[in-house]
Amino acid sequence: PDIFLFCRAAVVHTCRSPLVANLQEVSLPLLILLSLGVTIACCVHAMRNGRPYWWLFVLIGTSWIGAAIYLLVEVLPEMRRSRAARSLKTEVARLVDPQRDFREAAQRLEDHESVETLTAMAEQLAVRERYGEAATMLERCLHGPHEHDPGTLLRLAEARFLDGDPAGALTALDTLQEHNPGYHSEPGHLLYGRSQEALGLQEDALESYADLAGYATSEEPRVRLGLLLQKTGRTVEARAAFETVVRNLERASKVHFRNEREWYQAAKAN
């Protein structure tokens, strides 16, 4: 009751102010509708999120003043704790100081060298397209119990490939397969085929793409298969591969189609 009386008095005082009087003269109906909409939205939020029932009295009895108090006390703190808010905060920090993550990773590596700090530094180098240096960091991880770690070997293969060393990528992937026979990775399988293609091993690459297309969740392997078939003059088989991609994605869900739009457009164009 005390909160209710306080908020009601605040409304009366505010409505007598010159600013509110001027606003009423300009567009009173619009303000009323806006205030009503915000109040209803706050009431719905309060009920859905189990807020104390007296918030409803505050919101209904004090109009936009109560809504403003509710937003400040209940909604904004909740939004600050949300994943989206944390993500936005991270992105803003990166825009303000884009080198911050790099400096922190370098400092942690200087303080203590470990697989974790080396991997983190490699990721920062890769983001900046310094793939050769990233590969060097990952190579330093491959010792002791981590000598044949599949995750590290896969990242190393990717860094080498992006650095223009497909032969080095194949070596890392062969080591991964040799020492981790049960390990399965679609990105690794695709990278194997792309490395073979980059080295001119066209038949081997075609076989890799065809095998991957049989189980992959993405249409990228089938598109790359079609492009390589086209490149080697096997146009009928290439067209069949592209038609399969187009047919699959035109029947897919909107989310999957959106994620695969690049490969749909490539298949459609060919």
Side-chain angles (χ1 to χ4, degrees):
D2 291 340
I3 294 175
F4 177 82
L5 291 173
F6 168 77
C7 293
R8 189 173 182 83
V11 171
V12 172
H13 175 74
T14 304
C15 290
R16 289 175 179 172
S17 68
L19 176 60
V20 173
N22 291 335
L23 288 174
Q24 288 175 338
E25 291 176 4
V26 174
S27 184
L28 183 58
L30 180 61
L31 290 174
I32 293 173
L33 288 174
L34 181 61
S35 175
L36 182 61
V38 173
T39 299
I40 291 173
C42 289
C43 288
V44 171
H45 184 276
M47 289 186 291
R48 286 183 175 178
N49 291 276
R51 297 298 189 267
Y53 72 91
W54 49 260
W55 269 120
L56 298 178
F57 293 102
V58 173
L59 291 166
I60 295 170
T62 61
S63 186
W64 66 272
I65 293 292
I69 295 172
Y70 182 80
L71 290 171
L72 288 171
V73 174
E74 296 287 354
V75 178
L76 290 180
E78 181 182 87
M79 290 177 63
R80 290 180 63 185
R81 292 190 296 269
S82 69
R83 180 180 300 177
R86 291 195 300 270
S87 177
L88 178 61
K89 183 179 179 181
T90 301
E91 291 302 320
V92 170
R94 286 176 180 170
L95 288 173
V96 173
D97 185 3
Q99 297 300 319
R100 177 181 176 182
D101 290 344
F102 182 86
R103 289 198 309 272
E104 291 179 349
Q107 185 61 55
R108 285 194 294 269
L109 178 59
E110 184 178 347
D111 293 341
H112 176 63
E113 181 172 319
S114 66
V115 171
E116 290 74 18
T117 57
L118 286 167
T119 301
M121 191 62 194
E123 290 176 357
Q124 291 301 318
L125 289 165
V127 166
R128 290 158 179 80
E129 299 183 0
R130 295 163 59 177
Y131 302 117
E133 295 173 74
T136 300
M137 290 290 170
L138 292 166
E139 288 165 359
R140 288 164 60 181
C141 296
L142 299 174
H143 61 82
H146 301 281
E147 183 177 3
H148 302 121
D149 178 69
T152 303
L153 285 167
L154 182 57
R155 284 190 286 269
L156 174 59
E158 183 179 15
R160 286 176 175 174
F161 180 83
L162 293 172
D163 193 44
D165 181 17
L170 280 182
T171 299
L173 291 170
D174 285 335
T175 301
L176 189 160
Q177 289 182 318
E178 179 184 353
H179 295 279
N180 303 275
Y183 187 78
H184 175 78
S185 168
E186 287 185 31
H189 198 161
L190 179 62
L191 184 59
Y192 202 88
R194 293 185 65 188
S195 298
Q196 290 172 322
E197 183 179 358
L199 289 169
L201 305 174
Q202 295 179 337
E203 291 302 320
D204 292 335
L206 286 171
E207 184 178 350
S208 294
Y209 289 149
D211 289 344
L212 180 56
Y215 72 87
T217 56
S218 170
E219 294 295 332
E220 180 180 358
R222 190 170 283 109
V223 173
R224 292 192 180 278
L225 173 64
L227 291 172
L228 187 53
L229 286 168
Q230 195 175 61
K231 182 179 178 180
T232 55
R234 296 159 65 175
T235 55
V236 175
E237 295 173 77
R239 183 179 181 85
F242 293 135
E243 287 177 345
T244 301
V245 172
V246 171
R247 184 169 59 252
N248 288 347
L249 291 178
E250 287 181 346
R251 295 174 179 175
S253 67
K254 291 182 179 179
V255 173
H256 186 61
F257 181 88
R258 186 164 56 249
N259 292 336
E260 298 284 303
R261 184 185 298 275
E262 174 188 356
W263 305 112
Y264 175 81
Q265 291 173 340
K268 192 78 171 177
N270 285 278

